[in-house]
């Protein structure tokens, strides 16, 4: 069985793809998947499902949702379902199942290691495979509880880091012209993420577009000053100075943190 969280929540197996229409049961499944193979307490589950407005019979309601979830995940070929009762709550056991968020994090970790080893083509392949798992915002619109919000935020941030490292791998392979369009989009969609601006400057400069690289710096600098009252970070400033001198800016634009 394959559980997918990198987009709307869904379950995929040999019979096809299925999703849960009942919102609270969906939140329950998401909460158990976020902590797959670990026990999630009853209090934590009720907090994710109802927040601070728990009904008087919240515990009874939780038991009903667990029963519905067990029916949803039941497969005739399996003697025991994946939802287990374990004090002080419940646990979803993956066994031989697959969780796409773990796949993604494993691929990012692999790519980060390959990038440190300067195996840029293999690193880029790992990052691309990880990014290809995404179908939309993490968890879609499932739940607003603290655990699910934190999980989605972590995955989204890691996705951005993965994009940064993928571009770094491509730049190290000399694919400067190929990434310019992507970097314009990333810099526009994430105007306060200085790494994308720095990468765009480098890609433009090495594509023999020095003037455009300098314009990209000035545009990013205005945004940072207007939004935060801050000058660009030191790596961006160093790269800007190198471009002004027409130096090879390799030393001024280092790899993203790996």
């Amino acid at each position: 069985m394959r559980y997918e969280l990198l987009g709307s929540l869904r379950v995929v197996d040999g019979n096809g793809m299925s999703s849960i229409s009942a919102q609270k049961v969906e939140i329950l499944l998401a909460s158990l998947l976020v902590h797959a193979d670990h026990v999630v307490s009853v209090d934590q589950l009720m907090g994710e499902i109802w927040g601070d407005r728990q009904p008087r019979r919240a515990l009874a309601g939780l038991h009903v949702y667990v029963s519905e979830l067990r029916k949803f995940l039941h497969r005739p070929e399996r003697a025991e379902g994946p939802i287990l009762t374990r004090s002080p709550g419940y646990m979803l056991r993956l066994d031989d199942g697959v969780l796409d968020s773990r796949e993604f994090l494993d691929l990012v970790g692999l790519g980060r290691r390959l990038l440190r080893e300067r195996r840029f083509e293999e690193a880029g392949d790992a990052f691309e495979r990880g990014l290809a798992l995404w179908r939309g915002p993490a968890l879609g619109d499932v739940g607003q509880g603290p655990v699910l919000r934190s999980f989605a935020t972590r995955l989204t941030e890691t996705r951005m880091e993965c994009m940064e490292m993928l571009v770094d791998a491509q730049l190290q392979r000399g694919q400067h012209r190929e990434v310019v369009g992507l970097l314009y989009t990333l810099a526009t969609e994430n105007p306060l993420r200085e790494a994308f601006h720095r990468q765009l400057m480098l890609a433009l400069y090495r594509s023999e577009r020095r003037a455009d690289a300098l314009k990209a710096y000035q545009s990013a600098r205005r945004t940072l000053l207007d939004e935060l009252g801050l000058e660009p970070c030191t790596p961006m400033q160093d790269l800007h100075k190198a471009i002004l001198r027409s130096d090879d800016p390799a030393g001024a634009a280092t790899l993203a943190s790996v």
Side-chain angles (χ1 to χ4, degrees), residues 16-40:
M17 180 189 71
S18 55
S19 56
I20 300 174
S21 57
Q23 184 185 43
K24 289 182 172 59
V25 180
E26 189 178 34
I27 293 172
L28 172 62
L29 175 57
S31 301
L32 292 171
L33 285 171
V34 165
H35 296 289
D37 294 321
H38 295 84
V39 176
V40 186

Side-chain angles (χ1 to χ4, degrees), residues 10 16-17 31 56 79 84 102 116 169 208 216 220 226 237 250:
R10 65 188 191 183
M17 180 189 71
S31 301
R56 284 188 301 173
L84 306 179
R102 288 189 180 178
R116 283 198 298 264
E208 300 177 346
D226 290 344
Q237 293 187 41

Side-chain angles (χ1 to χ4, degrees), residues 24-25 28 49-50 60-70:
K24 289 182 172 59
V25 180
L28 172 62
I49 294 172
W50 288 288
L62 176 62
H63 291 159
V64 171
Y65 298 145
V66 170
S67 177
E68 292 179 8
L69 182 58
R70 281 179 164 144

